Amino acid sequence: MSTIGHRSRGFTILELFAVLSILGLIAFLFFPVWIDAKAGSRNARCSDNLSQIGRAIGSRAHDHDGRLPGCQHNPPSWREALIPYVSRETFICPEEPFLENSVKPRQWTYALSDFLTPHPYGARELDFSQLDTVPSPSQTLAFAESAAEFRIYDHFHFADSRENGFSLDAFGEQVDVERHSGTANYLFVDGHVESLAWSSGVKPKLSYPNSRFVHPAGTAAAKAFARR
């Protein structure tokens, strides 16, 4: 049979519209999955940053008789003391440009617990600035993710009871507790990192009796001292 003069039929407008509609629906369904995957990747990189900071703290402590790095008020600040052990880029959560919508992110988005500095303001009688003076390193917070308005400091003000110490309200004001889709990353003194939800992870750690999550000696010791 001759095929001379035969022309293939192209797509009609309705068929093209149907194809585009299907593609649009697929994109609509998978876009949230893609967004979640990107957020999960940034969360994992943030956790890795804190892990690197934890290893750097351990290495520096080994080189300095077990002493932990300090802060703005107890130099050398960890921001300078850790440079021989880790890059400055590690001090910034990968989520930062997305939250701040800024081309140039801040110099740091993590902060040190002031309970790990020598004689912190508001608790001058304490000194947990050396690794061997922290009773339970696996339970005690070293670094967390700062709330945006608190990032002028490189440390938290947990020890100062005049700023409500580490009460739930004060903790939630200083720490970006829902930074990663309802969770945040926390570095502990022993170097391990946990991603914790605010309601189901952090609040119980702050609330249970004799918690060492913030106060290295435990909340029972802190209350006993306050009663003296």
Side-chain angles (χ1 to χ4, degrees), residues 181-194:
S181 301
T183 68
N185 293 311
Y186 300 87
L187 171 66
F188 290 76
V189 176
D190 70 342
H192 86 277
V193 176
E194 294 184 23

Side-chain angles (χ1 to χ4, degrees), residues 21-97:
S21 297
I22 292 171
L23 291 175
L25 178 61
I26 292 172
F28 175 79
L29 292 174
F30 282 94
F31 185 71
V33 175
W34 180 80
I35 291 294
D36 288 345
K38 294 285 285 185
S41 174
R42 293 193 296 269
N43 186 17
R45 282 163 35 207
C46 173
S47 178
D48 183 63
N49 281 357
L50 284 171
S51 292
Q52 291 185 57
I53 291 173
R55 290 192 292 271
I57 290 172
S59 296
R60 185 186 183 279
H62 180 269
D63 295 340
H64 292 79
D65 299 320
R67 185 161 293 278
L68 297 167
C71 66
Q72 292 160 316
H73 305 312
N74 298 104
S77 167
W78 61 269
R79 294 179 291 114
E80 302 302 329
L82 298 184
I83 288 303
Y85 306 92
V86 72
S87 68
R88 290 187 187 275
E89 288 76 15
T90 307
F91 303 159
I92 303 167
C93 170
E95 193 79 35
E96 178 66 8

Side-chain angles (χ1 to χ4, degrees), residues 1 12 33 50 53 59 61 73 76 78 89 93 111 116 120 127 139-140 142-143 146-148 164 167 177 195 213:
M1 178 183 295
T12 66
V33 175
L50 284 171
I53 291 173
S59 296
H73 305 312
W78 61 269
E89 288 76 15
C93 170
L116 302 180
D127 189 352
Q139 298 178 31
T140 302
F143 275 79
S146 298
N164 296 319
S167 65
V177 295
S195 182
F213 181 56

